[in-house]
């Protein structure tokens, strides 16, 4: 079953409106009924240190525990935490939503926000591809591979993951806050 595309909410006050998708549970990758959000070109990375710029954007909006690297080339998800991925250099083709998900080309300045349980895997990348990842406060990340046992545990854990109080790019009044709270009601 393909991902459900949601029309973007009215976000005239934001530089970039999100594209949002809801990926269905496929029996091994639980995904999440909260929408996956993709902000194209949301963060300026052309001046100074692009990784620092991305980290500062996330930190200023309450998302921390940041790291710098790429995206694993194997399918995985995080059942205990929501995650933001900000592309700081290069480009990559990434499948979000598991084996039955959607392939997206993400580029420098793009930000992807993955609700807990969202499958992701880097399919290919430029040599200079780099990402900054971060998490809402109080949540601990663990990498989960899609197995039947992990799936059973994840479907019980994912609904318990707290909603973030802020959008990692736009803060307390960002599209994530509105979309995820509306969806969780």
């Amino acid at each position: 079953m393909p991902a459900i595309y949601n029309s973007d909410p009215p976000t005239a006050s934001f530089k970039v409106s999100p594209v949002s998708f809801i990926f269905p549970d496929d029996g091994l990758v639980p995904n999440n009924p909260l929408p996956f959000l993709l902000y194209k070109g949301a963060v300026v990375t052309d001046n100074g240190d692009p990784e620092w710029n991305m980290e500062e954007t996330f930190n200023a909006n309450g998302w921390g525990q940041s790291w710098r690297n790429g995206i694993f080339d194997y399918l995985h998800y995080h059942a205990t935490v929501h995650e933001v991925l900000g592309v700081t250099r290069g480009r990559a083709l990434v499948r979000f939503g598991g084996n039955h998900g959607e392939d997206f080309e993400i580029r420098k300045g793009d930000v992807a926000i993955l609700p807990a349980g969202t499958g992701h895997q880097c399919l290919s990348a430029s040599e200079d591809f780099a990402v900054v990842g971060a998490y809402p406060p109080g949540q601990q990340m663990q990498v989960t591979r899609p197995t039947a046992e992990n799936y059973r545990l994840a479907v019980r854990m994912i609904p318990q993951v707290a909603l973030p109080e802020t959008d990692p790019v736009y803060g307390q009044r960002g599209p994530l806050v509105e979309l995820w709270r509306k969806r969780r009601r």
Side-chain angles (χ1 to χ4, degrees), residues 5-83:
Y5 173 76
N6 291 306
S7 59
D8 300 336
T11 53
S13 62
F14 302 111
K15 176 183 168 196
V16 176
S17 295
V19 175
S20 62
F21 287 85
I22 297 174
F23 300 110
D25 179 327
D26 70 8
L28 283 179
V29 175
N31 290 306
N32 198 308
L34 298 173
F36 160 83
L37 303 175
L38 180 61
Y39 300 149
K40 299 294 283 178
V43 177
V44 174
T45 57
D46 289 335
N47 53 0
D49 180 348
E51 287 77 19
W52 185 86
N53 292 340
M54 194 68 73
E55 287 170 341
E56 283 302 299
T57 298
F58 297 160
N59 285 332
N61 291 304
W63 289 57
Q65 304 173 56
S66 63
W67 51 266
R68 299 176 181 194
N69 203 339
I71 298 173
F72 292 134
D73 62 358
Y74 57 85
L75 178 57
H76 66 287
Y77 60 89
H78 312 292
T80 59
V81 65
H82 306 299
E83 181 176 46

Side-chain angles (χ1 to χ4, degrees), residues 2-185:
I4 299 168
Y5 173 76
N6 291 306
S7 59
D8 300 336
T11 53
S13 62
F14 302 111
K15 176 183 168 196
V16 176
S17 295
V19 175
S20 62
F21 287 85
I22 297 174
F23 300 110
D25 179 327
D26 70 8
L28 283 179
V29 175
N31 290 306
N32 198 308
L34 298 173
F36 160 83
L37 303 175
L38 180 61
Y39 300 149
K40 299 294 283 178
V43 177
V44 174
T45 57
D46 289 335
N47 53 0
D49 180 348
E51 287 77 19
W52 185 86
N53 292 340
M54 194 68 73
E55 287 170 341
E56 283 302 299
T57 298
F58 297 160
N59 285 332
N61 291 304
W63 289 57
Q65 304 173 56
S66 63
W67 51 266
R68 299 176 181 194
N69 203 339
I71 298 173
F72 292 134
D73 62 358
Y74 57 85
L75 178 57
H76 66 287
Y77 60 89
H78 312 292
T80 59
V81 65
H82 306 299
E83 181 176 46
V84 61
L85 302 172
V87 181
T88 57
R89 299 174 195 270
R91 61 180 170 68
L93 183 64
V94 179
R95 178 168 297 146
F96 293 104
N99 287 328
H100 303 287
E102 300 281 334
D103 298 350
F104 294 88
E105 183 176 79
I106 55 176
R107 295 177 170 268
K108 181 172 71 167
D110 293 351
V111 173
I113 307 171
L114 292 68
T118 302
H120 50 297
Q121 172 184 13
C122 184
L123 302 175
S124 64
S126 62
E127 285 189 27
D128 61 340
F129 179 64
V131 170
V132 167
Y135 309 96
Q139 300 179 2
Q140 296 299 314
M141 190 278 291
Q142 65 184 57
V143 175
T144 304
R145 292 207 181 209
T147 67
E149 182 179 344
N150 287 342
Y151 173 83
R152 284 190 295 277
L153 293 170
V155 295
R156 290 196 315 262
M157 287 190 292
I158 290 167
Q160 297 174 33
V161 177
L163 290 178
E165 294 184 18
T166 59
D167 180 298
V169 176
Y170 295 114
Q172 291 182 339
R173 296 179 184 235
L176 173 146
V177 176
E178 177 186 337
L179 288 170
W180 285 14
R181 291 210 192 300
K182 187 185 307 182
R183 189 78 185 165
R184 190 67 58 99
R185 285 184 200 147

